[in-house]
Amino acid sequence: MNLSYLRLGDTIGICSPSHVVDGAVLDSITGLLQSFGFKVKAGEHILCKDWGYCATKEQRAADFNQLARDPKVRMVLFGGGESSNELLPLLDYQAMAAKPKLYCSYSDGTNILQAIHCQTGLPVFYGPTPHTLLEEDSYTLEQFDALTSDHVPYRAAEPWTVLVPGTAHGEFTGGYLRNFALMLGCKYFTYKQKPYILFLEDHEQFTEVGGVAEYLEFIAQTPFMSQVTGLLFGHYSDAGQPDLLGILERFGRRFSIPVAYCHDFGHGAHHAIIPIGMDGELDTKRQQLVWNY
């Protein structure tokens, strides 16, 4: 599967595995995707809030599985929030493997993306969500448009801060820092005996700098760390955080891996699309990612 998998006129399924959706926002998202040239199918329970913070896990899983099983849906686009891990035992991975399609999300969607890839072997994508498309950031819209085009090379939204220079090769994996760290040891997350390029992100509104250090150390103390060949860390703060950069630099030098900080993805303005489950290269000198289709 490559980034040209989606075509104009295809149906995009949207659902809400971990937050409550406002009806007016849903209408705006539907209208925007239709203006791009896509059909839209929303999950049956997307507006439900039976548990207050969310619909029930059964309702949310039913929506996700319905879209995964529908042969007319070519892409499942879903947002973040909290508690997406409640769905992992309820997802129909067999149907996902039998009917491959594109899955894209970020933030709390990390759990579901990782589980889908690990349980099916399909590549999935860390990138824009329905809500972030409404922000109309030109870089994000360019990234989303690349899903309908022939291969478009990855480009940085802004110059990277290179903390440990170098080149890394391996399979891309990662996502939101807390969610990824908590996936390690989960039965729905498995990894192969091969090199991995790690991409991670967090934001100061959710996690203090010390918390970033704590989650990175959690990853560092797992067997998985021995297979990490490089780290790209996404947007954390508009103002800049020298303490964070120090943590990331020490992390890279401790494990002798290249490390860079960027604003290409995360909880800032920009939302690059990065694959989970594709092999490629991280080059901090050239400030680029390359993956194999």
Side-chain angles (χ1 to χ4, degrees):
M1 184 191 304
N2 59 41
L3 290 178
S4 65
Y5 184 78
L6 191 65
R7 295 300 186 201
L8 295 179
D10 283 346
T11 297
I12 296 177
I14 56 175
C15 59
S16 182
S18 48
H19 75 284
V20 175
V21 176
D22 178 85
V25 174
L26 176 61
D27 290 342
S28 297
I29 292 167
T30 300
L32 181 66
L33 291 175
Q34 289 174 338
S35 74
F36 292 164
F38 301 109
K39 300 173 185 175
V40 178
K41 179 176 182 177
E44 179 182 350
H45 305 94
I46 194 169
L47 298 178
C48 292
K49 49 182 179 180
D50 292 47
W51 281 3
Y53 65 92
C54 264
T56 69
K57 63 182 180 181
E58 290 80 12
Q59 290 171 329
R60 289 176 278 150
D63 283 1
F64 206 100
N65 289 334
Q66 177 191 25
L67 299 176
R69 294 165 183 156
D70 189 337
K72 294 182 180 179
V73 172
R74 303 296 298 275
M75 176 185 190
V76 180
L77 186 66
F78 57 102
E82 300 283 353
S83 72
S84 68
N85 62 328
E86 293 177 335
L87 274 62
L88 302 190
L90 304 176
L91 297 180
D92 189 345
Y93 302 108
Q94 185 174 358
M96 295 177 198
K99 296 181 174 67
K101 56 192 65 180
L102 191 155
Y103 295 90
C104 186
S105 185
Y106 91 129
S107 192
D108 194 60
T110 296
N111 300 82
I112 292 177
L113 291 175
Q114 285 289 350
I116 292 174
H117 169 64
C118 293
Q119 297 302 307
T120 68
L122 297 173
V124 293
F125 297 90
Y126 198 82
T129 64
H131 185 270
T132 59
L133 289 175
L134 290 176
E135 298 168 3
E136 298 188 338
D137 171 66
S138 60
Y139 178 80
T140 301
L141 295 178
E142 172 194 290
Q143 291 285 297
F144 190 78
D145 185 60
L147 292 170
T148 66
S149 309
D150 291 332
H151 173 49
V152 177
Y154 181 93
R155 76 171 182 88
E158 302 175 25
W160 292 1
T161 300
V162 178
L163 301 168
V164 182
T167 302
H169 297 87
E171 181 177 302
F172 287 100
T173 192
Y176 186 68
L177 174 59
R178 178 190 65 183
N179 294 64
F180 183 80
L182 294 177
M183 285 296 287
L184 295 173
C186 170
K187 68 178 182 179
Y188 296 98
F189 178 83
T190 59
Y191 56 91
K192 301 173 278 290
Q193 296 301 310
K194 63 180 296 185
Y196 284 89
I197 298 170
L198 194 56
F199 66 90
L200 298 169
E201 58 100 354
D202 207 327
H203 195 275
E204 60 183 348
Q205 67 177 310
F206 306 122
T207 309
E208 295 182 358
V209 172
V212 173
E214 180 179 27
Y215 289 127
L216 284 175
E217 184 60 28
F218 185 93
I219 295 171
Q221 293 181 21
T222 67
F224 174 76
M225 189 63 213
S226 65
Q227 296 172 224
V228 175
T229 61
L231 171 63
L232 181 63
F233 201 95
H235 176 87
Y236 179 80
S237 170
D238 291 331
Q241 283 284 354
D243 290 344
L244 172 69
L245 299 182
I247 289 169
L248 297 175
E249 181 178 358
R250 290 192 295 273
F251 186 83
R253 297 197 181 283
R254 172 182 171 186
F255 293 100
S256 300
I257 59 173
V259 175
Y261 172 83
C262 73
H263 294 280
D264 299 355
F265 64 98
H267 285 72
H270 308 312
H271 301 278
I273 294 176
I274 305 176
I276 293 171
M278 288 186 181
D279 291 329
E281 177 184 271
L282 163 67
D283 188 331
T284 60
K285 181 178 181 181
R286 296 182 179 180
Q287 302 192 17
Q288 68 178 16
L289 302 177
V290 178
W291 47 84
N292 305 323
Y293 292 86

